[in-house]
Amino acid sequence: MQVFIILATVSLIIIFSILKYFEYRKENTEDCEGEWSWSECNKKCSDGGSVRYGTFNVTKEATFEGKCEAENGEQKTEECPASECPPEDCVGDWVWDTQCVGYCSDEDALLMGEYVVSFKEKYEGQACPHEDGDKDVKTCPIDMCPSEVCKTSIDWAPCDKPCSTGESKRMGTVSVLTSDDYVDSCEYVHGQSIQEDCPETACPAEDCQGEWVQDAECQEGLCSEGAKIESVYTITKPRAYGGRICDHTAGLKKTDPCPDAKCPAENCEGYWEMGDNCSGPCGGPGNPNGSTIKETFNITKAANSKGTCEFEGQERPKSCPDSKCPKEDCEGYFEPLQLPNCDDVDENEACVRDGEYFSTKTAETGIFFPEEYEFQIYKSVGPFFGGNGCLFEEGTTILIGPNGQYSEVDV
């Protein structure tokens, strides 16, 4: 007995120690601590697809069941955030006309220029020394001085089409600046209109054009539950001649709520609700009387995105279930029973002989009944669904007289 007590005591101590250990583990469980260290972006962000690489460094290990965002040394890649993009300096240059204005002999020949920014600084890069479209003039170089055999100027109209079409032209009106002494040697006459291919220096700026191209189908899921669709930014026309750059880089992706036009059809959902009352008595199991009850379709979720709702607003009759059937009391009645002659039945059957009733053919004594009495048997239907029972049991047999007096007999 003492051994048993010692063993029980040791077992309780062990169990208590285990419970205390698990309680200690639970109270001292802590998640790990750590941080991501990131590399520099691998290329210019404006070129698209710039990424940086991160390595997770655990600064404090997790204890017991504690969790950690990532394992020590685990690496991942992410799109380079704008705040970490390397600076990109502005790129621009002066574009000078190919023809001087004025005459070198008069020391008023000038060459017109315009500053064209081909790439605007980004991510805190160095700005260009001039604004896009700034104008400047300089003295016409000797090798560009116009011939003075006949001095003319041409007033050029703007180019008629974007130069990127390859069909851009411009019209000019000639003004002859020389005296009559030089008119015969002029290539043009005063007021003549001429046409030429639009030079790059006169080409109007053409802005970059792009658009978001949406996927053909929604991503997996139903629009009623917030399905998304992906779009990719596509450059439809590159910028040219100092035009504005696009708002996004080619290939950039985004997700938006799926538009109704692309949402998959969602049929409505609902259930049939049964009315309170049957159309009439059910007539017992199997509803032989054809009693019905009305069902109405209730919608719990409407159809969406051209989905259908087959039973919306519909009603239908349904066979009345037993649980809804009205109570029906038992209906019973007696009908005449013609008992056979004892000479024509088996030994254990009831019969009549010489005006007496015998419970079996072999019974030694019978019951005398007057001729005006008759045998009747009780027939009944029901009760159903908790209705009241009949006065007699099914098959009860009586011997009834002309004045209604009766007595039950065993048939």
Side-chain angles (χ1 to χ4, degrees), residues 26-86:
K26 182 178 181 181
E27 292 176 350
N28 291 275
T29 292
E30 294 183 357
D31 293 339
C32 82
E33 296 179 4
E35 60 184 9
W36 289 95
S37 59
W38 296 98
S39 67
E40 294 182 354
C41 301
N42 65 341
K43 59 179 180 179
K44 293 182 179 179
C45 294
S46 62
D47 294 338
S50 181
V51 298
R52 67 176 184 175
Y53 306 96
T55 302
F56 191 76
N57 299 312
V58 175
T59 57
K60 179 181 178 182
E61 297 289 343
T63 60
F64 298 113
E65 286 83 13
K67 299 180 180 179
C68 201
E69 177 185 353
E71 294 183 1
N72 191 47
E74 182 175 333
Q75 296 183 335
K76 68 177 181 179
T77 303
E78 70 173 18
E79 182 179 344
C80 198
S83 61
E84 298 297 326
C85 287

Side-chain angles (χ1 to χ4, degrees), residues 300-352:
T300 57
K301 179 182 177 183
N304 189 33
S305 307
K306 299 182 180 179
T308 60
C309 197
E310 180 181 0
F311 302 110
E312 183 175 8
Q314 289 192 19
E315 295 180 350
R316 68 182 182 185
K318 182 178 178 64
S319 295
C320 201
D322 291 351
S323 60
K324 295 272 188 177
C325 285
K327 293 180 179 181
E328 298 181 43
D329 296 336
C330 175
E331 296 181 3
Y333 59 92
F334 281 99
E335 66 178 22
L337 176 64
Q338 185 69 39
L339 291 179
N341 190 286
C342 289
D343 295 333
D344 302 326
V345 299
D346 294 333
E347 292 181 354
N348 294 323
E349 294 186 29
C351 58
V352 294

Side-chain angles (χ1 to χ4, degrees), residues 385-398:
F385 314 113
N388 295 321
C390 286
L391 294 176
F392 299 92
E393 292 185 1
E394 173 78 12
T396 299
T397 304
I398 62 173

Side-chain angles (χ1 to χ4, degrees), residues 77 142 174 216 234 276:
T77 303
I142 297 298
V174 178
T234 303
D276 293 329

Side-chain angles (χ1 to χ4, degrees), residues 81-394:
S83 61
E84 298 297 326
C85 287
E88 298 182 35
D89 296 339
C90 173
V91 177
D93 201 2
W94 286 102
V95 178
W96 299 97
D97 288 350
T98 57
Q99 201 169 16
C100 294
V101 177
Y103 300 96
C104 294
S105 60
D106 296 337
E107 297 183 355
D108 63 356
L110 300 174
L111 189 62
M112 306 298 179
E114 180 180 356
Y115 194 80
V116 177
V117 174
S118 57
F119 182 83
K120 191 172 180 59
E121 73 277 2
K122 296 183 71 174
Y123 314 115
E124 300 182 359
Q126 186 176 353
C128 284
H130 304 281
E131 294 292 332
D132 187 51
D134 281 356
K135 308 294 184 183
D136 196 9
V137 295
K138 66 181 179 180
T139 302
C140 187
I142 297 298
D143 57 352
M144 293 184 66
C145 285
S147 171
E148 301 207 25
V149 175
C150 178
K151 297 181 180 180
T152 60
S153 67
I154 302 175
D155 182 18
W156 292 104
C159 302
D160 61 350
K161 296 178 182 178
C163 293
S164 60
T165 64
E167 301 176 353
S168 181
K169 304 287 184 181
R170 70 174 180 175
M171 297 295 298
T173 302
V174 178
S175 296
V176 176
L177 305 178
T178 56
S179 65
D180 295 340
D181 296 336
Y182 301 100
V183 170
D184 291 340
S185 62
C186 280
E187 183 180 0
Y188 306 109
V189 297
H190 188 75
Q192 181 179 349
S193 294
I194 60 174
Q195 184 185 61
E196 71 172 11
D197 292 337
C198 200
E200 284 194 10
T201 55
C203 285
E206 298 181 36
D207 295 339
C208 173
Q209 296 179 12
E211 61 181 9
W212 289 101
V213 179
Q214 205 169 65
D215 288 351
E217 297 180 351
C218 300
Q219 295 174 345
E220 185 176 352
L222 301 177
C223 291
S224 62
E225 299 172 355
K228 301 290 185 180
I229 193 168
E230 188 173 86
S231 301
V232 178
Y233 193 76
T234 303
I235 303 296
T236 57
K237 179 183 177 182
R239 68 186 291 270
Y241 312 111
R244 185 179 63 84
I245 64 175
C246 277
D247 296 331
H248 307 285
T249 57
L252 182 66
K253 296 181 179 180
K254 70 172 183 177
T255 56
D256 296 298
C258 201
D260 291 342
K262 293 188 178 182
C263 285
E266 298 179 40
N267 295 333
C268 75
E269 296 178 5
Y271 64 94
W272 288 98
E273 183 177 25
M274 190 175 292
D276 293 329
N277 300 314
C278 299
S279 60
C282 296
N287 299 331
N289 288 347
S291 181
T292 60
I293 193 168
K294 182 173 69 175
E295 283 189 328
T296 304
F297 190 73
N298 293 325
I299 297 175
T300 57
K301 179 182 177 183
N304 189 33
S305 307
K306 299 182 180 179
T308 60
C309 197
E310 180 181 0
F311 302 110
E312 183 175 8
Q314 289 192 19
E315 295 180 350
R316 68 182 182 185
K318 182 178 178 64
S319 295
C320 201
D322 291 351
S323 60
K324 295 272 188 177
C325 285
K327 293 180 179 181
E328 298 181 43
D329 296 336
C330 175
E331 296 181 3
Y333 59 92
F334 281 99
E335 66 178 22
L337 176 64
Q338 185 69 39
L339 291 179
N341 190 286
C342 289
D343 295 333
D344 302 326
V345 299
D346 294 333
E347 292 181 354
N348 294 323
E349 294 186 29
C351 58
V352 294
R353 181 190 304 122
D354 298 330
E356 288 185 309
Y357 160 74
F358 294 89
S359 60
T360 64
K361 179 179 179 179
T362 58
E364 295 182 358
T365 60
I367 299 174
F368 173 79
F369 61 92
E371 184 176 346
E372 62 271 19
Y373 278 68
E374 72 174 357
F375 290 95
Q376 291 186 359
I377 187 168
Y378 194 73
K379 301 290 185 179
S380 64
V381 177
F384 300 118
F385 314 113
N388 295 321
C390 286
L391 294 176
F392 299 92
E393 292 185 1
E394 173 78 12

